[in-house]
Amino acid sequence: MCGRFTLTEGLQQLQTKFEFECSEELIPHYNIAPSQQILTLTSDGSKRTGQLMKWGLVPYWAKDIKIGYKMINARAEGIDAKASFKMPFRRKRCLILADGFYEWKKTEGGKQPFRFIMNDKETFAFAGLWDTWTQDGSPLYSCTIITTDSNSVTEDVHDRMPVILPADVYTDWLNPGLQDTEYLKSLLVPYPAEKMDKYPVSQLVNSPKNNSAELLAPLNSI
């Protein structure tokens, strides 16, 4: 699964790298948690737009907003057949920007958090889905992160990892007119392990109330 991640780069730098328009305000986040507002990129087929959405998908047909608490992740397996995800998978795909994510490893001393990053320390993009839920005329935009099997970097910590997309498929993934589900499903694979790294971090990250740069510091030992 993916239950916590980071995004610390400035908006202007992100716009240059990912080529999107955005009118939102963005501050560095070192411990993003479910139900918070997170930066997503969508497209109308011609331009990319950055928008803050609630992390935890609330399908348009949902009767209760609380369903979002169970929808922070969407398993890649069978995603085009599941009621909550099949329509967004066809027409409402998004990128969710991050520069690292956390997972917890079971040890004799308790659960040890690790941070996973790219070898080059660059920001990357999770494959996501989004939807719009309306109550009393007010729209709620929400999203979920797609997960897949672990790779050799993540497998000793967790058996799942978020789908990280390579830059050369961003345009296809965001294109609402592209509905070749077999091709789209073929993108939902573990990211190449040789391009990733991990390191242990402080258990301060266990609480989403903690949100400071010190959370990114590696532990000397575990």
Side-chain angles (χ1 to χ4, degrees):
M1 64 175 294
C2 179
R4 214 75 68 77
F5 66 97
T6 63
L7 180 61
T8 63
E9 195 168 16
L11 180 59
Q12 186 174 353
Q13 290 81 8
L14 292 173
Q15 287 180 282
T16 299
K17 180 175 181 178
F18 292 93
E19 301 177 335
F20 65 96
E21 299 177 1
C22 186
S23 59
E24 305 278 12
E25 293 187 5
L26 189 69
I27 61 173
H29 278 285
Y30 306 93
N31 196 8
I32 300 171
S35 80
Q36 293 181 357
Q37 296 288 311
I38 62 177
L39 181 63
T40 66
L41 304 190
T42 61
S43 175
D44 60 4
S46 61
K47 67 177 181 179
R48 299 176 186 174
T49 301
Q51 180 178 348
L52 294 178
M53 296 189 189
K54 185 175 182 178
W55 184 13
L57 189 76
V58 182
Y60 74 91
W61 46 259
K63 295 181 179 180
D64 191 335
I65 193 174
K66 293 180 181 178
I67 193 174
Y69 293 116
K70 301 178 181 179
M71 299 283 189
I72 65 169
N73 291 157
R75 293 177 67 94
E77 299 84 354
I79 195 169
D80 58 332
K82 296 178 181 177
S84 299
F85 307 131
K86 63 181 181 180
M87 289 305 294
F89 183 63
R90 289 180 65 87
R91 297 187 176 90
K92 294 183 176 181
R93 299 180 298 273
C94 63
L95 299 177
I96 296 171
L97 302 188
D99 53 25
F101 64 95
Y102 300 108
E103 290 292 358
W104 282 257
K105 181 177 182 178
K106 293 181 180 179
T107 69
E108 292 183 357
K111 291 185 177 182
Q112 171 61 50
F114 282 79
R115 184 171 183 245
F116 295 85
I117 58 174
M118 297 294 108
N119 285 337
D120 60 10
K121 311 296 193 297
E122 290 291 327
T123 302
F124 51 89
F126 298 133
L129 306 176
W130 68 279
D131 208 344
T132 307
W133 182 78
T134 303
Q135 184 178 51
D136 299 327
S138 299
L140 171 72
Y141 298 94
S142 62
C143 61
T144 187
I145 296 171
I146 301 174
T147 67
T148 187
D149 293 329
S150 60
N151 62 20
S152 60
V153 173
T154 61
E155 64 184 1
D156 69 326
V157 177
H158 202 282
D159 62 357
R160 304 287 295 179
M161 67 176 291
V163 173
I164 299 170
L165 293 175
D168 61 358
V169 303
Y170 290 169
T171 298
D172 282 352
W173 181 256
L174 290 176
N175 184 0
L178 196 165
Q179 298 182 23
D180 182 344
T181 56
E182 292 307 310
Y183 166 65
L184 293 167
K185 286 192 294 183
S186 76
L187 305 179
L188 306 181
V189 295
Y191 198 71
E194 64 271 16
K195 296 183 179 181
M196 294 181 62
D197 198 3
K198 71 174 183 288
Y199 61 90
V201 295
S202 167
Q203 292 189 0
L204 288 172
V205 77
N206 293 357
S207 172
K209 294 181 180 179
N210 297 324
N211 181 30
S212 63
E214 67 179 311
L215 299 182
L216 307 186
L219 288 181
N220 293 327
S221 62
I222 63 173

